[in-house]
Each structure stands twice: as C-alpha cells, then as structure tokens.
Amino acid sequence: MAMSHVSKVVLAYSGGLDTSVILKWLSERYGCEVVTFTADIGQGEELEPARDKARKAGVREIYIDDLKEEFARDFVFPMFRANAVYEGEYLLGTSIARPLIAKRQIEIARETGADAVAHGATGKGNDQVRFELGYFALNPDIQVIAPWREWDLTSRERLLAYAASHGIAVEHKRQGASPYSMDANLLHISYEGGRLEDPWQEPEASMWRWTRAAEDAPDAPQWLELTYTRGDVTAIDGTPMTPAQVLATLNAVGGRHGIGRLDLVENRYVGIKSRGCYETPGGTILLRAHRAMESLTLDREVAHLKDDLMPRYAALIYNGYWWSPERKLLQQLIDQSQETVNGRVRVKLFKGQVTVVGRESASDSLFDPAIATFEDDGGRYNQGDATGFIRLSALRLRTAARLARKGH
Amino acid sequence: MAMSHVSKVVLAYSGGLDTSVILKWLSERYGCEVVTFTADIGQGEELEPARDKARKAGVREIYIDDLKEEFARDFVFPMFRANAVYEGEYLLGTSIARPLIAKRQIEIARETGADAVAHGATGKGNDQVRFELGYFALNPDIQVIAPWREWDLTSRERLLAYAASHGIAVEHKRQGASPYSMDANLLHISYEGGRLEDPWQEPEASMWRWTRAAEDAPDAPQWLELTYTRGDVTAIDGTPMTPAQVLATLNAVGGRHGIGRLDLVENRYVGIKSRGCYETPGGTILLRAHRAMESLTLDREVAHLKDDLMPRYAALIYNGYWWSPERKLLQQLIDQSQETVNGRVRVKLFKGQVTVVGRESASDSLFDPAIATFEDDGGRYNQGDATGFIRLSALRLRTAARLARKGH
Amino acid sequence: MAMSHVSKVVLAYSGGLDTSVILKWLSERYGCEVVTFTADIGQGEELEPARDKARKAGVREIYIDDLKEEFARDFVFPMFRANAVYEGEYLLGTSIARPLIAKRQIEIARETGADAVAHGATGKGNDQVRFELGYFALNPDIQVIAPWREWDLTSRERLLAYAASHGIAVEHKRQGASPYSMDANLLHISYEGGRLEDPWQEPEASMWRWTRAAEDAPDAPQWLELTYTRGDVTAIDGTPMTPAQVLATLNAVGGRHGIGRLDLVENRYVGIKSRGCYETPGGTILLRAHRAMESLTLDREVAHLKDDLMPRYAALIYNGYWWSPERKLLQQLIDQSQETVNGRVRVKLFKGQVTVVGRESASDSLFDPAIATFEDDGGRYNQGDATGFIRLSALRLRTAARLARKGH
Amino acid sequence: MAMSHVSKVVLAYSGGLDTSVILKWLSERYGCEVVTFTADIGQGEELEPARDKARKAGVREIYIDDLKEEFARDFVFPMFRANAVYEGEYLLGTSIARPLIAKRQIEIARETGADAVAHGATGKGNDQVRFELGYFALNPDIQVIAPWREWDLTSRERLLAYAASHGIAVEHKRQGASPYSMDANLLHISYEGGRLEDPWQEPEASMWRWTRAAEDAPDAPQWLELTYTRGDVTAIDGTPMTPAQVLATLNAVGGRHGIGRLDLVENRYVGIKSRGCYETPGGTILLRAHRAMESLTLDREVAHLKDDLMPRYAALIYNGYWWSPERKLLQQLIDQSQETVNGRVRVKLFKGQVTVVGRESASDSLFDPAIATFEDDGGRYNQGDATGFIRLSALRLRTAARLARKGH
C-alpha cells in the first residue's frame, strides 16, 4: 500500500550497503527528509562510521544510541525469566531485539516530528512483522515504509547497480567476507542463506564467529557461580554485574568453551520453513541455570503453569507481539512468579557443554532434605498417606476398568 | 489399608536384598504363596541369579521375561514421538518402564490365579504410584501390597536384621559398591540419595556408570545418520535395526562420547522435591534428532500443537498415568502426527554434545528452498502479501492504541 | 494480487443481487467463462430460481447440489462432538458451512476444468478467509477471485447502478424486507449490520426469523429424548433419524419454544470487533444435551482434556482452518473420545430455555451410584483414603507455608 | 491418621444436627475444648440459634461472623472476573465459599490458641479437600480433624442414636423438610442425594427453593442495566451497590424470573461422578453480563488467553486450591486484564432466561463502528489487505498440498 504523503521518515540505519541504498531511495521515492537511527545493542560493530556515512549522505538528524543496558534489562532478562524457547530450540536472539528498535524509532519520530518509519527487512522474513507490529502498537497512525516490499531492486545485482549509480560506497571486502546473512546483538549472532539453504549441508567451520569449535575449546573445564535475584542473574562468581555485563561476560566465557551453537529449521510466521544457525553462548548458560534456580525455589504447579504457557509466550515474541496486551499480561504473571527465585547456581562449562552441578537458596528453597531423604525422616512424611493418595487417584481408572470388563 | 485375604501374590522381584526380604515378609505376613517376576528391560544385570534365589526361597512359579523389545517398541519409542521431557529436562527413563512391569504383573496374576501384586517401591516416591495406577487400571479388583508402606522395617538396620534372622543372603560387596539408589533400563540409569541429597553438591566422578566423562571422551567427533520412518528410528548409518537395537547402539556410542548426563531437582507427584542424576545417552540423541526430523516434515501448527500438549503428556507419564484414557488419546494424536516424519538426520557426537548437522526428507519435506531463498524465487512468494498480513495482524493493536491515546 | 489469466471460474452463486452482479462482472473483467454453483445446505430457499437466473445470464455449466446430509454429517456433527463454542457463546453456524462450499467448488473446478474460483464475501469478514483457506488447502494452485476486494463497486448505490446498467434484475421487495445482512443454513441464521452496528441497541423483535419470541412460545413445556451413538444423536423420542433430519427436527421444535437466540460482539480473525445476532435452535439443544451425555460417559480427565482443547478447536473453525492438519488431528482425538458416548438424554424445552433433566447410559455410564451415594456404600469407597489423598496434595503447600513463616 | 494430641479445636459449626453431634464427639473423643465458628455467608438462616445451642453445649468461645461482604468482594467477584465455569456448566457456588471458611477458622485458631480445626464434610466429597487444603496452606502445622472419616457413626441411624444418647436435640420437622443434602450461600444453593442419585430422574418441582419455576415466573420481561468498573458490577440500574448487595439484588430479581437452575453430573476431585442440582440466579446473570462487557472492552487475544486458562482456573477452585500459588498467579493475570472492563450491560430477564441485549463503554470500547460497518468506512480499513493476510496464512497449507499432490 503506497503511503499517502511522507514528509520525514526515521530509518533504522546500520551504515551497511542495504540501508545506505534505502536511505537514498527513500528521499528519491518520497521526496522526504530522512532521520537515521543506529543502535548499539551489542552487535560488536563501530557505530561512528554510520554517523559519517549518514552525514555524507546529507542526513541532518542522526541518532546513535547505546541501548545495550536497556536491551539486556528490559528485553532479554524478562524473556529469560520465562525460559522462553521457540520450537524447542531457538533462543529468540533476533526476535527480542526488534521491539526495542521499533520503540526507539517511534520515540525519535515523535521527537523529530517525523510521520513515517522505515526498516531494511525483507518481505519474506519475521523481522518486518516484528518491526511493524511494534510501530503500529506504539503509534497507530505512523506510516510504515518497507522498501524491500516496494521497490524493484529485487536482486543483489540491481542493488549494486543502484548503489553505483547513486554514489553509494560498497565495502567490497566486508561484504565479501561472509556468504551468510547475519544478525548480531548482545544475545546472539545468526546466520542464514548461502549453503545453509540446503538443510542437509553441515555449516562450514569458518561460518561460526562468536564461539570456538568444541574441538578447539580449552581442555580444562571451568566452573561459574551465578547469583540470582528475583529470577535475574545479578552477580557472577560473586561480582555484582548489570544485565548487559552479565550477558557480555557469559558470552565471552561461554564462547571460549564452545557453548551455544545451534543449527535448526524453524517455522517463520509468514508461513515459510527456513534454516538458521545461531550462536548464543551466554543465553545457553542462562537458560540452563535459570531452570535450575527455579527447580529449587518454584512451587511445582507454578513451574508447570509456566511451562505450559511458555510455548505461547515464546511464539508471541517470535511472531513480533512483544508490545501486545497478551504478552504484557503473561509477562506480569511470569515476573510475579520470580519473587522467590533467589539463590545461587553452579555450572560447569566444557567443550561446548554447560552442566548444572549445584543449586542453593538460603531464603527460598522448597527442597526439604528432611522429607526427601532415603534415611529416617523422623515422621515428617507419613508413607501411609500414599495409599489413600493412590487409591483415590486410581478410582476413576478402576471404575472404567470395571465397566470395560462387563463386556463392553 | 490392610488386605482382606491374600492367597497368592505376584512380586516384582529383582533378586536383590530388598525384594528378597519382601518375598519372605509377604509369605510370613500374609501366609500366601509368592510368584516372582523378574524382567529384563535392559538394566544390564544377569537374571539367572534371581531364578536361583527365588527357587531357594521356595518359590514355585518363577517368571523371568526378556521384555527389551516390547519396552523399546511399545513404550520408549511412542514416548519419543512426543518429544516428551518432564520439567524441561528429565527424559522419563524410570517413569516409562513402570507401566510395562505393572502390565506384565497383572498378566501373570491372571495366568497364575494370583489375587494380589506387590512391588518394592517406597512410600515417598513416584514409582509406587506408577506401579499401582497401572495395576488398578488393568485389573480394578486386584489387591496391592506395598510392603514399604506397611511394615516396620523402616531403616536399613532393621532390614538387615530381618534378613539375618530369616537367612537371606546379603551380598555385602555389591551393596557396598554404591551409596546411591539406582535404577536402570534400556533407556537410562538413575541415581538418588547419598551425597545427592544436598543439591549444592556436585556428584562424584565415580558415580556415573554408563557414560564417560566428557574429559575422557574421544578427541575426534563421530557422525551418525539416523533413518526415520513414521517418527521412529529404523536404521542407523543405513543398517536397519529393531527399536531395542537402536537404543542399545545409541547408548553405546553416546556413552562413549559422554552424552546424556543430567543433574536436576525434580517435583515428585507426591509433593516432594528431589535431586536426581541420570544418564540417558541414546535418549538424548533421539530427542534432538527427532525434533530435527520433525522440523522438516511437520506442519508448523501441528508442531506447535504437539509442543503445547507435550508438558501434559510428559506429566501423565511421570505421574504414572500411562494406562489412562487421556494418555491414550494424546498418544493417538501424536502417532497420527508422525505419518510424515520420514527421512534422515545427521548428528555429530563430541565430548558430551550431540549436534544436529543435517536433515533431509525425500518424501515429506515441507522445506521449500525455492521459497525460502534469499535469491530470486521466481515469483513463488509475493513479498507484497506481507503488507496486508501485517496490517491486519496489527489492526487490533492499532485500535487499542488509538483508544489509549484518547487519554484513557 | 491480480490474476495472471483466468479462463474458467467456479462461482459460489446464490442467485441474489450480489452474486448476480459478480457473475456479470467476472465475465467482463476476466473475459472468462463462469460456472455457477449453488448449494442447498438448509438455508430454506428455493434453488430453482438460481438455475433460471444463471441460465438467463448465459451460464452453461450450472451446479445445484443438495448438500444437507453431507453438511450435517461431516461438518456439523463432528463439530458438536467437541462442544465447540467460540468466545464462550457463538455456535459457529456460519463458520462451519464455508469449508463444505469451498470443497465442492474445488471439486467442480476439477470436473469442469476451471482454473479459478470466486466468492461473494467482503474484504472485512471472516468468510473470505474461510473460503480461501479452504480453496488453497484443497488445490494449492487454484486462482482465487474475491470481487469485493477488487472492484470499485464499493457502495450499494454503485452496485445497484451496475446491476441496472447490465440488465440484472433487482427484486426490490425481497431486498427491502430486511435491513440486515443474513446468512442461513441447517444450523443457524445470522444477522449483521443495520441497527446492530450499535452494540447498545437491542435488536427489533421483527428481526428474528427462525424462533418465536419466548413471550410467544407455548405455555406448556415439551420434553425430548435424544439417543446418542458415539457422540451423535441418532434418534429423537425413539425415532431413528439422519443427521440432517435431527437438525431439521430440533430446529422446528426448538424454534417453536423460542430456543437459541444469541446477541453478541465477536472478534473477527481480520482484527475487527463486530456485532452479530444468531438463531441456532437445534444447535443450542445439541450442545447442552451432548455435554450431559458426556458427563455420564466420559472419564474426567478426558472431558477436561477436551475442554482445554475446545477453544483452540473452535478458533480453528472460526478462523477458517477446517482443512488444516491441526484441525484434523484434533478431530481424530475428539472422535476417538466419543466411543463411549452412548445413551439417552432428556431435555425440557420451555420459553427459550433448554434444560437437561435426565441422562442415562446402559452400556457406558461411569456414574456408580453405589459409590456416589450418601447412604451406606458397603465398603466400595474407603473414606479414610481421603486423608492420605489430601495430605499429599497439601504437602507442597505446607512446605511453602513453613518457609514463608520463617520470615521470608 | 490419628492426631498426636489436641487441646483445643475450632469447629465449623452450623448448629444443625451433624455439627452438633460433631461438637459433642470432639470433646469426647479428644478430651479437648471446642471453639465454634458460625459464618453468615448469605445462606439465609438465623445464626443466633447456633449461638444458643453452642452455649448450651458448654462452648465458651463462640464466633459468629457476618462474612457476606468479604465473601462477595474477595471470593465471588474475583472468580467471576475469570468467567469461571467448571466442566462447562457449574458456577462453583459451593467451591468458592470453602476457602473463606478455612481462612477464618485458621485465624480463630490463632486468636484462641487452638491447635486443631474440624469440619463436618464427608470423606467422599470435595468439601473436605477444599477445607483442608486451605487449612494446611494457611497453617502448615495445624491439626485437622474430619470426624466423618474417623468415627463409626456411618449411617443416619447411628448418628441419631448418638444424638439421642447424648441429649442433642433433633429438629425433626426441619430435618424432615428436605430429602436432599443442601448447601447455600450468597452465590447459590445446591442439592444432592435422594432421588437425584439416579441421574435419569428429573428433580421434583418442590426441591427448588430459590427460584420460581419458569412456568410461574412473571409474564412480562424485566430489563436490568449493570454498571461495570474494572470487571466488577458496581451499580444496578444506576444505583451503586456493594458486592454483597449486587449478589443479593440479582438473586432476588433473577430468582423471581426463574433464572439459574442447573441439573448436572459432575466429576469430583476424589474420583467420583455425582449428580447435583443448583440454583445460582445472580451468578447466572453475572456470567453472561460479564462476558458481554468483556466482548466490547477486551482485546481479542487477551480474551482468548483468558478463555484458554479458564478451565484450569475453575478446576483449581473446584478442587480446593484457592490458596495455592498457582491460583494466585492466575488471579493476578485475570485482575490485570480487567483494567479496561468498564461500561454498561443491559440484560433482559424472562421465564428462566437471561439475554444480553446491549453493551456500551464510553471509555474502553474497542468496537470501532467506523471500521465494522457494512457501509462506506472512509478508508479506515483497506479490504485489499485481506488478500495478503489470507495468502500468507494459507502458505503452509499450500506447501503441504503441493507435496501431497506429488503422490505421497
């Protein structure tokens, strides 16, 4: 749907080829002013070059924000409280970053008086949905421009031709470095395309960027102690840390030990199956450790309720509904469940594996060794109670069995 | 609840100290005849000694059955079609064996004219529930004897004294070999008790029996190719195998590579949190590989429906409801979903890790590379469709946002 | 998305103004041949006039099918086995008819060599989705034409002008009879639009067509006895009936007693809230009676599993996913659960109300009066069992309470 | 399980025969002091006679509390925010009263220094579970006495004989008045036993106490307007009311119009199916009206989330888990969802039926007539968006259909 009229647009701008072309195309196609927005969410790239490029392209309002703490604190950590995993495997590393970008773009649109926002995601992927559901939820009247769905630059050749004809610099080396489409932030780095489009093909060893191969990881294991406060890691090995520091630290240590590689086929919201590879070293550690902390401090039925709701919560994030009322309601339930999730977890890292080896909660452990023991429990648990428990649990089964025996 | 009158009882008998004491105690306490039943479900122990002991104890009807194939085919494999995991971690290795034991005991009771069955599980655990729900579901009028809930042999000292005074041989060495309460079958071996009763303590290296420590695993990875037919592995590296052969093979290979150790705190059905350690080498490989096979061949919503139902299905098995009508209904849904789960999965085993590196289905792949590609798709996917898709998906969010803006 | 080329299109044709205009417009717009398909699904209108009109409009292939039995047997009855209700109220009367129309259109397209199908549903409603998801699921390569989303006849005035200028007869009386948009079939009749667009307005008494006002219903109640076989009504008051006969009979009797009116605001799949009024006399009786039959013959956990899955199943039908694999899987589970749903239910009809007053199953009742009685049960239920049952069910609550008391 | 030692027990005491016998039996059996607690929760009986009887029986600490407002405000109203219905029919009238009684008993135990609590519920029912789970959750170390599970007064004859021999007055008239076991509070009155133990038998007309037969209800309908504030009714026909006033008013009006009778077979938590009849006039109105208020003011996915969780929430209340952490978490989610549930609902009452005829929300309506209209919407909704929406929703179905066609 073509826009009615656009006077100023806030573009999510990385400084790379694609968004540089988009920048130019937007002003050509819409005759509008472009505001660029570049976020540091831990992708590990210098952002100042983006400023230079934007300036050279004539942009007058340039936003470059460090959102790492906000990203970790308000997006990644809340999600990990839910033990969220999409389709049993994927830790939602890309999905969780989009709502923050969308929110900041809408804020900047308000600050700059822009009437439109734009992004560089393609029309086949999940990211367009995540961006745009965010835009609309936060500003229902914003105009949204998705160049990849509009323009005719439908191949890399055409894109390069456009760049050439419009004086947009193409950094050949960097582009050439990887045949994969990649996305990175504090939580993960992802790879799609190239040889991965055949799901039978194993990825090349050279693809992976954040983690060592298990084969090259240290020959000695490493132990970490994570301190939990209300479901969040607040210290590592006794050192208090901010959420972003926690992620950065676990990424570094986990990556060294080869932890967090994933290779999967996933179901996109737009109806396509796609192959993706991911490195999520810190997140992989966090997921295991958080479950362990909960295993000691959450009531059984609360834990099961969370488990039952988790796939729905994860799908909401995957599909782009972070800013929806249903995600927020689920989040409140999840957050409230974490009041008692306090204590320490010990994990062992070795050759790609993270293993929980200990968990403890001085304040909130529901593990009662006096009851659980195989030894004499001094009468805290009356084994005879189990007889009635089983007999009533079995009653309906027996009634049915009696009926069946009658020859039905 | 004391039994009315028992004339003959079928005892699940291992030949170990506990069930030997139970054997004697049953005939003393109830003045009844005892039939022993010993099953080979892959626990890796000689069963003939059990026959000798039973004979010496005066038992006239001794059943020793090899149930390995039935166990793998009718219990383990159906469960893995569901990707069943209890509380996010536990592969249900003990839970899945109990319904088979219960079923066979009830069959033997019918064959031998026994009016009661007995087991050696304690009054604090899940196994008593699993056994007895099975008994009652399969024979609503059977009498059930659970000596641990009835007798006064409530400490190991008393048990040993009873054994001594009744001439029951105690194999001191073997008993002394492990401080843990263990259970093993084709799917797994488990450890409870001892130092594990403190969840902060890491298990001793010497506890683990089936898997090498990752540190001692081979320095070279190994690749396996699993062939799937309707959701089940039917060949490994091209060699057709029965279900029990599949499990045995994967246990051997996986164990060598240190795969499948687990250390967790779980919530028992009787209301207790307990610490358990598990080795499930083959099962760990099966779970990852099956998900990968499904990722290619299952429709997205079918996969999500299965994921949503999985925790409930797993809890049913954990809690002992294998023979319930609700488990059977879920099983039929799960089995029917597997019609298209055919193809091959390639996994890499190394230092405790199993990684999926390829999946392929000549007959049933829903992965359409022509659509998924980043390259030109020749019009198979119209990117413009995404605009309407997003706009209608966002409509309710926009309506709410407009209302909120009105100053509500 | 404009069609590439259309040579022959199968139109769902009622003979009314809208589809008559569409018929003409299709041949003008696409220069294609039009096949008309008119189905009798119990809407209570003569179909021969549609044949005449189609013939006059030059249509050479005219399909007029009586689908009442197929509709009742293969769509309505399976849905009622699930006790399906959308958003707590709506009995899915319109939703359930669309998949059958879609299926028959695709069949006719194959028979006539047509390469496209068309329907008269608007771009705001659910019906377009239900038709088109059906088309695509049954023939992925069919071309779909939805004139309301394509043409510029966007107001009634333009439509009438087009009709006038193309010699399409407008039956002024009949059109004038109702200010509402209506849809009818064997299961229900629905009303939308007009004064209903204000959800605070009570519908006029004259709107309702199938049911008497409760005020005008007979002053004496009427009792019916429904016989169930595997979850379906197979006889009324002892008279065996086909599914369509059951629906017709219950509609007649229920309508006379003022049963089945509904007035609600519902959430459409496309993101809009809309007001609808419905008359579903037979369906309202079926829903209550079926639940009553199940209350006696279904195991508790099976019933709860069905209840938990019902909203999902109902939403699938509402949203148009009848032909999806996930609906089929759920249907199989539901159907299998009905094996034991056999017996009789007695209902009382009076002044708009249907009340269950008796239920009985000679073959499958799980109601055991000997256990349920307040009188002496002769030991079939041991009240002491409840002590253990409660104590173990309370164990986790007590553990948490003890911890809380410690001053956490 | 016999109690260790009891010095003082708080008895839930109605003053009727059963609890009078229990009062005597407790002091005889345990040699303990008895504190009586009688609550007015709207059962419609004089409580002062209970005081006299307790005094005459020698009780020194007598608690008689008016809990009607607390019951309506903190138990009934929160439950109705969830649209809670057990097994599709039952409005949980008895279930919701037990947690309040349990809570107050535990408070009184603390105030009076009692070490035990007792109730008069039988060992076959749900109420024992509801009381005792409440007791244990609120005081994990309290001793619980359930005389019906302990004593040998297992028939009415024995009970009467005990009463006679202990000088307990039996009010023959009142006891003779009803052959049913009844329970009443502000929300409902229930009937069990007697002729109801045959589920095929229709209840006698004389059984019902709160509602007129529809046949005897007024011949003219009555309309009510309910004002909602955050999900609760706060005024009727413009008159502000407390929660208890709302219930009392709706019971009176609804009862006069014959509203709220229910006759069903339900599945008890202890594994028994039982027949019960209920009158819930006010609750029946509240349920319908609340859904109507939500239909206008709740986001679709929030409403669906609530619907999906409802059966679980209802089962928690039915089974006695009001004081569990999982019920509390669900309650918080439900309560938070009600922020926008503000406005008015108009209902019509006539001959046993309650019909919603209007709903309106000045502040929070998500119904957008400008979009929903069949008339020209001035471009607020782009019908063309539906094309992309449907095409992407259908994509996975088409992919599967293409594969199926290949001859799989």
Side-chain angles (χ1 to χ4, degrees), chain B residues 299 364 385 388 391 396 408, chain D residues 299 364 385 388 391 396 408:
Chain B
D299 172 81
D364 293 281
D385 286 342
R391 289 177 60 84
R396 63 184 176 92
H408 173 61
Chain D
D299 171 82
D364 294 281
D385 286 343
R391 288 177 61 84
R396 64 184 175 92
H408 173 59

Side-chain angles (χ1 to χ4, degrees), chain A residues 165-200:
Chain A
S165 70
H166 289 76
I168 297 166
V170 179
E171 297 167 40
H172 281 288
K173 271 221 199 78
R174 196 164 155 276
Q175 291 297 327
S178 168
Y180 302 104
S181 171
M182 296 186 294
D183 176 69
N185 60 48
L186 248 193
L187 181 54
H188 93 341
I189 181 167
S190 68
Y191 310 88
E192 293 184 300
R195 114 195 220 118
L196 299 180
E197 293 188 359
D198 175 357
W200 182 246

Side-chain angles (χ1 to χ4, degrees), chain A residues 369-380:
Chain A
I371 289 185
T373 185
F374 277 79
E375 314 299 320
D376 193 335
D377 64 9
R380 294 191 71 139

